[in-house]
Amino acid sequence: MTSNLDINKYNGGSTGLNSEKVICEDGLIVNIDAEIKNIKLTIQPQVVASLLNLNDGSSASFEQLSNLIKADQNMSTTILKAANSSFYSRGNQVASLQHAIAMLGFRVVRSLAMAANSRSLFETGKYSRFQRYVWKHSTATSVICKELARKMGRADLEEEAFVAGLLHDIGKVVMNAIDRRKFISVIDMVVEENISFPVAEERVFGVSHMTVGMKAAKEWKLPELYEKIFNQHENFTGDLVEDNMLLYIVSYGNYLAKKYGYGHYSSQDDIDGAKLEEKLKLGQENLVYFKENFKSAIEDDEFFKFVNRLI
Amino acid sequence: MSFSVMHRGEINPWKKLFSINPEELAIEFDFYDLYSGDEKQLLIKLREVLGKLNRSDLSGPIYLIVRELLTNSLKATYKRIYLDFFLAEMGFSDLPYENWLSIFKTEIETHMAENFANLCRQKNLFVKFVMKPMDNGLLIEIINDGVPSDVEWVRLQKSIDQSRKVSNMGYIFDGDGDGDSGDKQQEGAGLGVPLITVMLKNMNLSVNDFDVIRQDGHTIAKIFLPLGFFAKKGD
């Protein structure tokens, strides 16, 4: 549907709210909001196969189900979207997957996940660069964010930090689903020209994954907190107040994941990372732990291992 | 089914036979579910009205028939809101029928009607029960704001026609009925219609006094209880 996009005609910036329409070189006007509405995200077939093997609501299966959902960004999004839909929602926004699964119930979650999978036959994200730069990066970020929350004495934020870390780049998944060929061009540009994802995305799509992620969160009625995280995790510089705590955790987790080699890393990231460290005040001991020793902890993490077996 | 509306000034049969103002026989309820208490209120009201007509003995069977029709109507309403609201919101509107029906069934089995009833209240969608006195009997209507698909409509009509022709429910199990088609891609018309017609026959009512019609975007199940039905006892 899309072709090379002319960013000069693009109405709005990468974080602008008025960027719904982008004009392609061939004159087609692409409405990002409509694309998001109609998007068909895919679920990894290995995850689906594992889901089928879960056939009861025992606590063991419940835990396995929870792990399987966390193992797939698209499935996590589907389940959170369902829990926040007008059908299930009771006014309170559901930000944690555990809460969402408990609310929907074992069998409904499994049915929805299967339905989500059956909607798309093509595995748009099944290529090595996507897995490395998006999938592994998101998984590593989720593990780091959870640990960051724990080390900061914020056990109450661990689950949300995990989910937010896992989904922070959902905009990339959406863009890849909208036009996989163009998203491959984005990754090629990032790697070959050593530019950041947002810059490459602006060139190719006329819009960044942050804007797309934010719009997707809004369209899917995910908690507002996630809209902010999806939109600002790459360049957040606001005050470290309670409302921004999770955003800070995800921003720093995003940086550390790149630094560890999960995702695309550039020297600019270090500058941003230093600013985040200064604000977060993690303490010298924790900084050493995260910057020098945590990579092995990620590799040993059960969830990380579980996901990598699926890839 | 034959009934006519009373006109002002006509001799009122209800007044004449039972010394009752017809307004006392009118009942109206809106149902979003069948567990929040309104269904019990309906039973109480039916007992009260039928008691005034010397047939409180039939309040149980009539309530069972009505409840079956309410269940079917609510299920149709729930299906509609599931498709129109939840699946649309999820971006699943294009799911094949058998797939979304499977999720719908899972939702019903997991949470019963709780989520459906909640959304029905939010959207003000309900099934209406109306009992109104006519000049030759009582008319019960269960009105559902929506119509079945053509396929479902044909199956329902077939079920009504079949059940009118037989005296018991045995035909359902001999392969000609539609109790369970065995086809997981479709829902059978179920046991509701045969059960209702058999009960009507056992109450010495005509099966022609039960019908389901489609009218102005609504599906209306009608049961007519003729005046003679009430005059029997105590004659």
Side-chain angles (χ1 to χ4, degrees):
Chain A
M1 176 178 283
T2 52
S3 66
N4 288 330
L5 297 164
D6 179 355
I7 16 179
N8 295 324
K9 294 176 184 173
Y10 163 60
N11 179 24
S14 63
T15 56
L17 287 170
N18 300 318
S19 57
E20 291 87 356
K21 286 178 182 174
V22 288
I23 304 170
C24 309
E25 277 182 351
D26 57 12
L28 277 178
I29 296 173
V30 176
N31 188 322
I32 291 291
D33 295 305
E35 292 282 330
I36 291 169
K37 197 171 279 193
N38 297 321
I39 202 77
K40 293 176 180 5
L41 297 177
T42 58
I43 290 171
Q44 297 183 89
Q46 301 94 318
V47 174
V48 176
S50 304
L51 263 180
L52 281 170
N53 286 327
L54 301 180
N55 55 8
D56 62 53
S58 69
S59 56
S61 285
F62 197 90
E63 201 176 323
Q64 282 176 294
L65 178 70
S66 173
N67 274 337
L68 279 170
I69 288 163
K70 286 174 183 170
D72 190 295
Q73 288 161 310
N74 302 334
M75 196 153 19
S76 300
T77 308
T78 298
I79 299 310
L80 278 177
K81 202 171 147 185
N84 287 290
S85 68
S86 53
F87 187 72
Y88 287 103
S89 173
R90 294 293 177 272
N92 297 325
Q93 293 193 318
V94 178
S96 106
L97 276 171
Q98 276 175 335
H99 186 184
I101 295 167
M103 178 191 254
L104 300 176
F106 181 89
R107 294 185 58 213
V108 171
V109 166
R110 203 176 55 172
S111 294
L112 285 173
M114 300 304 297
N117 178 65
S118 72
R119 296 170 62 248
S120 179
L121 298 172
F122 303 100
E123 302 161 51
T124 52
K126 194 79 179 162
Y127 55 97
S128 61
R129 280 190 164 181
F130 186 85
Q131 289 179 345
R132 178 179 168 192
Y133 290 105
V134 179
W135 182 232
K136 256 194 167 176
H137 166 72
S138 300
T139 315
T141 306
S142 69
V143 174
I144 296 167
C145 288
K146 187 174 178 177
E147 183 65 7
L148 273 170
R150 197 178 71 80
K151 284 281 184 191
M152 289 167 69
R154 295 302 304 264
D156 57 315
L157 290 180
E158 278 184 39
E159 171 69 12
E160 285 178 27
F162 180 91
V163 176
L166 184 70
L167 300 182
H168 75 285
D169 271 350
I170 196 73
K172 290 178 183 169
V173 180
V174 171
M175 292 169 104
N176 184 64
I178 289 174
D179 194 326
R180 172 181 157 142
R181 190 175 55 82
K182 290 208 172 299
F183 200 75
I184 290 172
S185 306
V186 167
I187 300 180
D188 288 346
M189 255 184 222
V190 167
V191 176
E192 285 154 23
E193 297 180 31
N194 196 26
I195 56 175
S196 71
F197 266 96
V199 170
E201 288 157 353
E202 290 276 5
R203 279 196 206 164
V204 176
F205 281 91
V207 64
S208 75
H209 72 271
M210 295 100 81
T211 303
V212 173
M214 176 197 67
K215 284 178 175 295
K218 196 184 279 287
E219 171 63 31
W220 297 336
K221 296 194 177 73
L222 299 188
E224 281 172 24
L225 173 71
Y226 287 162
E227 283 179 37
K228 196 172 168 183
I229 290 169
F230 297 172
N231 190 26
Q232 299 181 42
H233 63 268
E234 295 284 359
N235 51 13
F236 187 64
T237 52
D239 293 334
L240 182 62
V241 291
E242 184 58 28
D243 282 354
N244 294 333
M245 189 60 75
L246 212 52
L247 179 52
Y248 257 104
I249 290 173
V250 174
S251 298
Y252 192 59
N254 179 40
Y255 156 69
L256 282 180
K258 290 189 224 174
K259 179 91 177 163
Y260 289 144
Y262 304 115
H264 178 260
Y265 166 79
S266 73
S267 53
Q268 175 61 37
D269 290 319
D270 275 339
I271 299 167
D272 295 337
K275 286 180 194 162
L276 292 165
E277 274 167 17
E278 196 183 317
K279 292 250 182 175
L280 274 170
K281 296 186 176 63
L282 285 166
Q284 191 56 32
E285 195 183 331
N286 281 337
L287 269 181
V288 171
Y289 171 69
F290 279 113
K291 294 185 82 170
E292 293 176 17
N293 305 324
F294 197 59
K295 176 152 185 173
S296 59
I298 296 174
E299 297 286 345
D300 289 339
D301 182 85
E302 281 305 316
F303 174 70
F304 193 77
K305 285 197 280 190
F306 173 79
V307 171
N308 280 298
R309 280 197 298 272
L310 293 172
I311 291 175
Chain B
M1 190 182 295
S2 168
F3 51 82
S4 53
V5 183
M6 274 188 299
H7 296 286
R8 203 174 284 276
E10 283 183 358
I11 296 170
N12 181 342
W14 303 104
K15 191 94 180 168
K16 188 179 163 190
L17 291 170
F18 302 99
S19 306
I20 294 172
N21 286 322
E23 302 84 65
E24 293 177 54
L25 304 173
I27 306 176
E28 202 172 306
F29 276 93
D30 294 339
F31 287 96
Y32 297 92
D33 58 60
L34 286 177
Y35 61 81
S36 56
D38 284 347
E39 74 287 1
K40 285 178 190 149
Q41 290 305 312
L42 174 63
L43 176 59
I44 292 167
K45 195 74 186 163
L46 275 174
R47 275 190 193 134
E48 183 189 315
V49 168
L50 292 170
K52 287 177 184 172
L53 301 172
N54 303 319
R55 293 306 304 258
S56 56
D57 57 313
L58 290 178
S59 55
I62 288 174
Y63 175 72
L64 277 179
I65 291 170
V66 166
R67 197 183 159 95
E68 179 64 30
L69 291 168
L70 285 171
T71 303
N72 288 341
S73 294
L74 276 170
K75 194 172 159 195
T77 303
Y78 292 167
K79 265 186 179 176
R80 192 159 69 84
I81 62 166
Y82 201 62
L83 188 61
D84 290 354
F85 296 104
F86 178 64
L87 294 178
E89 201 173 327
M90 290 294 292
F92 287 176
S93 298
D94 58 348
L95 273 183
Y97 178 75
E98 62 269 28
N99 286 22
W100 80 256
L101 188 65
S102 157
I103 311 177
F104 173 81
K105 285 178 175 173
T106 307
E107 169 57 29
I108 286 267
E109 285 162 14
T110 306
H111 300 113
M112 310 298 280
E114 188 188 338
N115 293 314
F116 293 104
N118 186 50
L119 195 58
C120 276
R121 284 190 172 86
Q122 280 179 37
K123 306 289 180 190
N124 201 30
L125 289 168
F126 49 82
V127 171
K128 197 168 201 62
F129 171 93
V130 181
M131 188 159 93
K132 47 190 171 190
M134 317 303 283
D135 68 351
N136 55 348
L138 279 179
L139 178 65
I140 291 172
E141 290 183 329
I142 285 109
I143 305 162
N144 165 22
D145 186 17
V147 289
S149 67
D150 287 341
V151 175
E152 285 172 332
W153 180 248
V154 168
R155 291 162 75 83
L156 177 65
Q157 290 303 309
K158 185 183 160 201
S159 179
I160 292 173
D161 289 345
Q162 268 185 325
S163 60
R164 279 177 177 163
K165 289 175 195 158
V166 296
S167 58
N168 62 52
M169 293 172 70
Y171 76 96
I172 293 166
F173 306 104
D174 66 11
D176 292 333
D178 201 15
D180 181 3
S181 62
D183 182 354
K184 289 187 175 172
Q185 297 193 1
Q186 295 187 45
E187 274 201 301
L191 296 174
V193 168
L195 187 70
I196 289 166
T197 49
V198 166
M199 286 180 76
L200 289 173
K201 285 172 190 171
N202 287 341
M203 289 158 66
N204 293 321
L205 283 165
S206 164
V207 288
N208 294 321
D209 285 331
F210 164 65
D211 205 356
V212 181
I213 63 164
R214 291 191 288 190
Q215 191 178 69
D216 302 328
H218 297 91
T219 307
I220 309 174
K222 291 171 181 272
I223 300 167
F224 185 64
L225 307 173
L227 196 60
F229 178 68
F230 303 106
K232 278 180 183 167
K233 200 172 180 181
D235 272 353

